[in-house]
Amino acid sequence: MTISERKKKILAAVVDEYIRTAEPVGSKAIAEKAGLGCSSATIRNELAELVNMGFLEQPHTSAGRVPTPTGYRMYVNELMERQKLSLEETEEINHRLNEKIKQLDDTISDIGRLASQITDYPALAVTTRTAVTVKRFDIIYVDANTFIIVALLSNNAVKNKLVHLPVSVNEQMIRKLSTLFNANFTGIEEEQITPILISSTERAADDTMGITSVIASFAIEVLSEAFKPTAFVTGENRLLNQPEYRDPDKAHKLMSYLSQGGNVLLQGDATSCGCDGVQVLIGPENVAEELKDSSVVIATYDAGDNTKGLIGVVGPTRMDYSAVAAKLSALAAGLSRRLGAPEAPPEGMHNKLIIKGDDPNEHR
């Protein structure tokens, strides 16, 4: 849709003023802020056209205008000034990040807490892992009714389980199963542990007691658990600071949804950008119905060991996208440096925004 430069300036002024005040914006305020050098009547006409084009809406006949999700999308894509943090702000984030990582073992929860503090919005932190496999099985005979399964995973985690059997098993059977599992169940992902593979292993071991299935079930369980994202949500009560959530029912609905965790970040293809950019999902662009009146801003970081992390905030569509993106970007870059990124992002990448549907290689 073609939009004139004057309309773009007016739209940008409306969004900036609405972000600042949370009140509908009238032509008088635009005339004072935008510096267009045209009459209030001309501005009113342009505002009316922006309403007709779907970029603005008018809550009441006598009220000013507020941006629509389409208006915010135009603003984020083309109009807003990309904010860069000052050296002092960046150093403060890095200082607080260092302290958090030193003090607490639960790094993911702490990342979310810090993101919420620096943006003043509810924050969500998710660590997404690449698929792992078992590198080695050690199946250890204890007695006729007991054995231990030890699995060394490809991410070097070690999982074990003590198994009590209602039947007796000899040590030779346990040794045979250990050999078979190391030969056939290592280096494969969870979905490759099929009923056919389990049945063939039972036959090879001459196992009529179901011990093969017990060991295979344990392998499936640990591989599934290792692949599952770890999520943490914090700062839900910060929504109550925003005028949009003064309605207790509306605030409760969104806060309840946020308490469910990382699905908020994973539901919008947030991992698909494939770079150290920032993704913005505005209002209806979010899949979940609970987020249709909110926006989500997400940054990706490298957590090391083939692990990617997502850090995001949720707030009203009126949020200051430029400031939030700059802060999350700085936080993600700091996390990548500390948690295992192979190298720092290219110069300037920390301020690049990836908008849903954009080409990740296209610089804005």
Side-chain angles (χ1 to χ4, degrees):
M1 183 183 299
T2 303
I3 178 172
S4 68
E5 289 303 314
R6 184 163 66 187
K7 283 186 175 66
K8 288 182 179 180
K9 289 180 180 179
I10 291 174
L11 176 59
V14 171
V15 176
D16 287 336
E17 186 69 5
Y18 188 60
I19 287 172
R20 189 181 69 83
T21 66
E23 297 291 341
V25 182
S27 57
K28 183 178 179 181
I30 299 302
E32 293 173 354
K33 297 286 183 181
L36 295 173
C38 58
S39 67
S40 293
T42 300
I43 292 175
R44 284 195 295 272
N45 289 335
E46 295 281 38
L47 288 171
E49 290 188 28
L50 286 167
V51 170
N52 292 333
M53 297 170 75
F55 293 106
L56 300 176
E57 60 185 356
Q58 193 170 17
H60 307 288
T61 305
S62 59
R65 274 72 170 183
V66 300
T68 64
T70 302
Y72 281 121
R73 173 53 61 210
M74 170 67 75
Y75 176 80
V76 170
N77 282 10
E78 298 186 26
L79 307 179
M80 77 177 185
E81 182 178 348
R82 299 310 195 248
Q83 186 174 130
K84 293 185 178 181
L85 300 184
S86 67
L87 179 60
E88 291 77 14
E89 289 174 314
T90 302
E91 288 179 346
E92 174 64 15
I93 289 175
N94 286 329
H95 173 72
R96 293 171 68 179
L97 183 59
N98 282 335
E99 290 302 311
K100 295 291 184 182
I101 290 179
K102 287 177 184 176
Q103 290 174 5
L104 296 177
D105 293 331
D106 193 351
T107 304
I108 301 303
S109 65
D110 221 34
I111 290 167
R113 188 173 295 110
L114 178 55
S116 182
Q117 290 171 356
I118 65 176
T119 62
D120 202 28
Y121 290 118
L124 304 99
V126 179
T127 298
T128 58
R129 295 177 173 86
T130 55
V132 298
T133 62
V134 178
K135 289 171 65 175
R136 189 181 76 242
F137 286 94
D138 289 310
I139 305 175
I140 303 166
Y141 181 84
V142 177
D143 58 39
N145 299 102
T146 312
F147 66 93
I148 299 170
I149 312 168
V150 181
L152 173 63
L153 305 185
S154 57
N155 61 4
N156 293 322
V158 177
K159 303 292 182 179
N160 60 76
K161 182 177 182 177
L162 179 65
V163 179
H164 296 286
L165 296 172
V167 295
S168 297
V169 63
N170 58 50
E171 188 173 2
Q172 182 179 0
M173 169 69 76
I174 295 299
R175 287 200 302 267
K176 184 183 293 186
L177 283 169
S178 184
T179 300
L180 288 169
F181 268 83
N182 277 296
N184 300 315
F185 286 75
T186 54
I188 62 175
E189 298 179 7
E190 175 196 350
E191 62 270 19
Q192 295 173 284
I193 302 178
T194 63
I196 293 175
L197 177 60
I198 296 171
S199 296
S200 65
T201 305
E202 283 180 333
R203 290 194 298 272
D206 197 20
D207 171 23
T208 60
M209 296 176 287
I211 300 173
T212 302
S213 294
V214 171
I215 302 170
S217 294
F218 172 71
I220 291 171
E221 179 184 336
V222 298
L223 293 179
S224 175
E225 187 64 29
F227 185 65
K228 188 182 299 180
T230 301
F232 182 83
V233 184
T234 189
E236 297 99 317
N237 61 335
R238 293 180 187 271
L239 285 174
L240 302 178
N241 298 331
Q242 304 298 327
E244 290 84 349
Y245 303 104
R246 286 174 182 157
D247 180 343
D249 290 337
K250 183 177 181 180
H252 177 72
K253 181 180 178 182
L254 181 54
M255 290 170 72
S256 296
Y257 179 71
L258 293 178
S259 69
Q260 297 173 21
N263 60 314
V264 176
L265 296 188
L266 299 176
Q267 54 80 39
D269 287 334
T271 58
S272 64
C273 62
C275 67
D276 295 312
V278 176
Q279 185 181 44
V280 179
L281 300 173
I282 299 171
E285 295 172 356
N286 291 286
V287 174
E289 186 63 32
E290 293 86 348
L291 295 172
K292 295 299 185 183
D293 295 324
S294 305
S295 288
V296 181
V297 181
I298 304 164
T300 305
Y301 64 90
D302 188 334
D305 294 325
N306 294 318
T307 301
K308 288 291 183 182
L310 304 174
I311 181 75
V313 300
V314 178
T317 54
R318 185 185 52 84
M319 76 164 66
D320 187 342
Y321 296 101
S322 184
V324 170
K327 290 174 181 178
L328 287 186
S329 182
L331 180 58
L335 284 166
S336 292
R337 287 193 297 271
R338 287 159 180 78
L339 298 179
E343 58 184 77
E347 184 66 26
M349 279 295 290
H350 63 289
N351 283 304
K352 181 183 175 184
L353 287 176
I354 304 299
I355 308 302
K356 186 178 181 184
D358 285 355
D359 179 357
N361 296 315
E362 178 182 335
H363 288 262
R364 292 208 175 267

